[in-house]
């Protein structure tokens, strides 16, 4: 009998090694080649890789992530039409999947959350509108750009209500007790900044002043989110002389956080059982960029004007802060799921021990069932680490008030004194118009 149990232990131990290695998730994909192309600004190559390995990276339940990643990359490659198409589709699916079906909720309780259609993190959802707005600005469509800013603001106002509905659904459908958490983020300085520029361009200085006030409120009331100085140039945006042209510059740099798996094993001495909990952890990705400058060379005179950009938004701070709400639901479900599995495994082990002497065949069956159950628990109890990889981590802005005319405008991204990336374009600055330049560095 002992030899039989030993044989099964060896067989199933080999099986679990194979199963764990074959149960691949997004976190198992090697993004090094894509990241290298991203940092070099070759967005088309990144898109080609995502298309080629789409099924492997995103799986059938990761359509939202594919659309988000593709939409962001297409924005930076200049394909504004396809970018807006993908981001709009992602937004619709996020809304659809946020209303999780009971069947999917049950399936996730039986395995893990990655079997559910990915419904996006809050920061991924709201920034779809920001990038759609920027796409419209590139197309000189100021009206639709403002519509997206308003939709961003409406989503922000509804985030808390959406979370409370998700908590209620988890408590009712899954039978778990979720501890409610509060987050700080409720007002975006960058969204208000874009709105302010649009109102100024529309000659609506009254509403531009309102947005300026909201920017200052964002820094004053959300100091854990905006843990840096407010840009010194923002007051200039509502006092541009009529005969002058205002050049506004937006720079994205770094990468937004991604999720990693954090595994904890807990022993309950009263029940003599262990249980495993695998939770996602939002992890920041460092950036080497610590200074950004813009220089504008007037082609008619050769004179150059230079200014440093200042951070206005930390997308990484917002991602970490808002993720706390989702994590509270994930944690409650994961612990409930792990305890249920552990109790079931312990019951099977007790059955094997009680029948070993009088009913060895039944004891062997219990042993086999126990090993299969433990292997199943080890393999499927994995954190859902799906995350968009191509949303930038930070946003910086600046502005120069200049004479109208032709300029060569250059963005300089620096790491210390070392140039990291340089972007240049020739622009025609017009007074009373929105003269906007945008650049990015994913390093």
């Amino acid at each position: 009998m002992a030899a039989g149990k030993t044989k099964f232990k060896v067989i199933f131990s080999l099986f679990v090694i194979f199963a764990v290695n074959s149960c691949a998730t997004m976190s198992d994909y090697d993004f090094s080649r894509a990241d290298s192309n991203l940092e070099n600004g070759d967005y088309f190559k990144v898109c080609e890789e995502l298309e080629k390995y789409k099924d492997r990276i995103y799986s059938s339940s990761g359509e939202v992530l594919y659309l988000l990643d593709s939409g962001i990359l297409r924005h930076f490659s200049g394909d504004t039409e396809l970018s807006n198409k993908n981001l709009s589709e992602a937004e619709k699916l996020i809304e659809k999947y946020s209303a999780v079906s009971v069947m999917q909720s049950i399936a996730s309780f039986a395995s893990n959350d990655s079997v559910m259609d990915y419904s996006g993190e809050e920061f991924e959802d709201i920034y779809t509108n920001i990038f759609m707005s920027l796409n419209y600005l590139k197309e000189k469509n100021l009206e639709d750009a403002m519509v997206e800013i308003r939709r961003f603001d409406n989503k922000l106002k509804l985030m808390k209500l959406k979370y409370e509905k998700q908590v209620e659904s988890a408590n009712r459908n899954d039978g778990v007790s979720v501890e409610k958490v509060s987050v700080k983020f409720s007002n975006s300085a960058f969204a208000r900044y874009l709105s302010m520029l649009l109102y100024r361009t529309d000659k609506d200085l009254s509403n531009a002043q309102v947005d300026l006030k909201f920017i200052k409120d964002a820094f004053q009331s959300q100091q854990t989110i905006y843990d840096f100085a407010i840009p010194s140039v923002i007051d200039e945006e509502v006092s541009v002389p009529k005969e002058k042209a205002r050049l506004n510059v937006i720079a994205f740099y770094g990468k937004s956080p991604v999720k990693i798996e954090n595994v904890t094993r807990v022993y309950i001495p009263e029940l003599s059982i262990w249980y495993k909990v695998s939770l996602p952890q939002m992890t920041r990705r460092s950036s080497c960029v610590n200074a950004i400058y813009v220089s504008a060379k007037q082609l008619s005179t050769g004179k150059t004007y230079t200014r440093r950009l200042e951070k206005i938004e930390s997308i990484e701070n917002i991602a970490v802060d808002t993720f706390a709400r989702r994590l509270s639901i994930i944690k409650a479900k994961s612990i409930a799921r792990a305890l249920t599995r552990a109790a079931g495994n312990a019951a099977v082990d007790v059955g094997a021990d009680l029948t070993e002497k009088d009913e060895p065949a039944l004891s062997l069956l219990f042993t086999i069932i126990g090993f299969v159950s433990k292997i199943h628990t080890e393999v499927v109890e994995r954190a859902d680490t799906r995350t968009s990889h191509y949303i930038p981590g930070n946003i910086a802005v600046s502005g120069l008030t200049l004479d109208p005319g032709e300029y060569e405008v250059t963005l300089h991204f620096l790491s210390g004194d070392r140039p990291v990336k340089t972007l240049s374009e020739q622009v025609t600055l017009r007074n009373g118009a929105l003269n906007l330049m945008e650049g990015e560095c994913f390093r």
Side-chain angles (χ1 to χ4, degrees):
M1 178 62 191
K5 287 188 176 182
T6 302
K7 183 178 179 181
F8 276 109
K9 287 181 181 180
V10 172
I11 292 172
F12 282 108
S13 294
L14 292 173
F15 173 75
V16 73
I17 293 171
F18 169 78
V20 170
N21 288 333
S22 62
C23 188
T25 66
M26 186 181 194
S27 61
D28 299 310
Y29 185 78
D30 182 4
F31 282 93
S32 58
R33 182 174 56 226
D35 286 345
S36 177
N37 287 326
L38 180 77
E39 292 174 3
N40 291 330
D42 199 338
Y43 307 118
F44 289 109
K45 281 189 178 179
V46 182
C47 287
E48 285 177 359
E49 181 173 347
L50 300 190
E51 291 285 351
K52 185 176 181 180
Y53 299 106
K54 178 181 176 182
D55 293 340
R56 182 176 165 190
I57 298 172
Y58 300 103
S59 78
S60 60
S61 59
E63 184 67 15
V64 165
L65 275 177
Y66 166 73
L67 292 168
L68 283 171
D69 284 348
S70 178
I72 297 296
L73 290 167
R74 298 294 180 183
H75 168 81
F76 289 117
S77 70
D79 191 343
T80 57
E81 184 176 351
L82 183 54
S83 174
N84 269 354
K85 179 178 180 293
N86 287 346
L87 292 174
S88 179
E89 288 180 12
E91 183 184 34
K92 291 174 184 175
L93 287 179
I94 287 172
E95 183 178 0
K96 176 183 176 181
Y97 295 150
S98 291
V100 181
S101 70
V102 174
M103 287 306 297
Q104 278 203 329
S105 184
I106 293 171
S108 72
F109 199 84
S111 53
N112 59 55
D113 289 339
S114 62
V115 303
M116 300 172 67
D117 291 310
Y118 184 73
S119 60
E121 295 299 332
E122 288 182 344
F123 84 99
E124 294 168 338
D125 184 17
I126 60 179
Y127 278 99
T128 59
N129 302 105
I130 289 293
F131 282 99
M132 282 193 280
S133 178
L134 291 169
N135 283 330
Y136 285 126
L137 289 178
K138 286 185 177 183
E139 297 171 356
K140 308 299 181 184
N141 184 346
L142 305 191
E143 183 176 346
D144 284 344
M146 180 61 90
V147 169
E148 293 302 330
I149 295 299
R150 288 171 180 157
R151 294 182 67 231
F152 172 98
D153 189 51
N154 287 336
K155 280 184 184 178
L156 201 53
K157 292 174 181 175
L158 293 173
M159 278 199 315
K160 182 179 178 182
L161 179 61
K162 178 181 175 183
Y163 167 67
E164 289 174 348
K165 287 183 177 179
Q166 289 172 335
V167 170
E168 181 184 350
S169 175
N171 289 336
R172 182 178 63 251
N173 295 327
D174 299 330
V176 299
S177 179
V178 180
E179 180 184 357
K180 289 186 179 181
V181 299
S182 61
V183 301
K184 302 297 182 185
F185 183 57
S186 60
N187 178 22
S188 166
F190 181 63
R192 296 294 184 178
Y193 174 82
L194 289 178
S195 178
M196 177 178 64
L197 298 186
L198 287 167
Y199 276 126
R200 185 196 68 198
T201 305
D202 200 35
K203 308 296 187 297
D204 187 349
L205 290 182
S206 177
N207 275 317
Q209 289 279 3
V210 171
D211 280 321
L212 176 61
K213 180 180 180 299
F214 275 119
I215 293 172
K216 294 178 178 179
D217 287 346
F219 277 82
Q220 292 170 1
S221 62
Q222 304 170 111
Q223 294 184 16
T224 57
I225 303 294
Y226 296 95
D227 55 352
F228 43 91
I230 189 170
S232 60
V233 299
I234 60 167
D235 285 313
E236 298 176 15
E237 303 303 339
V238 292
S239 58
V240 181
K242 290 183 179 181
E243 71 280 4
K244 294 286 186 178
R246 181 70 173 177
L247 170 65
N248 288 106
V249 185
I250 299 169
F252 297 94
Y253 64 100
K255 303 167 189 170
S256 61
V258 292
K259 296 177 212 153
I260 63 171
E261 186 175 49
N262 186 4
V263 177
T264 303
R265 298 179 190 275
V266 181
Y267 181 67
I268 304 178
E270 295 84 359
L271 301 176
S272 298
I273 60 172
W274 287 88
Y275 69 91
K276 170 189 175 184
V277 178
S278 298
L279 297 175
Q281 177 181 313
M282 195 69 82
T283 305
R284 299 172 187 265
R285 295 185 283 178
S286 61
S287 172
C288 68
V289 175
N290 55 18
I292 309 170
Y293 288 88
V294 58
S295 60
K297 180 181 178 182
Q298 190 173 27
L299 298 185
S300 61
T301 65
K303 188 173 182 180
T304 299
Y305 305 85
T306 302
R307 199 162 202 175
R308 182 168 182 162
L309 276 71
E310 301 169 273
K311 186 192 290 191
I312 193 170
E313 192 110 302
S314 171
I315 298 177
E316 61 179 354
N317 281 357
I318 292 167
V320 171
D321 181 66
T322 54
F323 178 63
R325 281 200 280 232
R326 180 183 285 261
L327 184 59
S328 70
I329 298 174
I330 294 171
K331 186 176 181 180
K333 288 178 62 177
S334 296
I335 291 175
R337 181 171 59 220
L339 285 172
T340 300
R341 286 176 178 160
N345 292 339
V348 172
D349 289 343
V350 170
D353 291 340
L354 290 176
T355 57
E356 183 173 13
K357 198 170 191 180
D358 298 326
E359 300 181 65
L362 183 57
S363 178
L364 178 58
L365 178 60
F366 275 124
T367 300
I368 294 172
I369 293 172
F371 269 102
V372 172
S373 180
K374 291 182 178 70
I375 290 167
H376 177 266
T377 297
E378 192 65 33
V379 171
V380 304
E381 186 56 46
R382 298 196 65 181
D384 182 3
T385 56
R386 293 174 293 181
T387 328
S388 175
H389 272 67
Y390 304 111
I391 296 176
N394 301 281
I395 311 173
V397 298
S398 193
L400 289 166
T401 300
L402 305 166
D403 291 325
E406 300 290 329
Y407 290 81
E408 182 182 8
V409 181
T410 306
L411 264 177
H412 309 268
F413 295 87
L414 306 176
S415 177
D417 295 328
R418 179 176 62 88
V420 175
K421 186 175 183 180
T422 301
L423 298 168
S424 294
E425 65 178 83
Q426 189 169 321
V427 300
T428 301
L429 300 185
R430 297 180 173 85
N431 58 330
L434 179 58
N435 306 294
L436 189 64
M437 179 181 179
E438 181 192 317
E440 78 293 328
C441 179
F442 284 97
R443 296 190 179 184

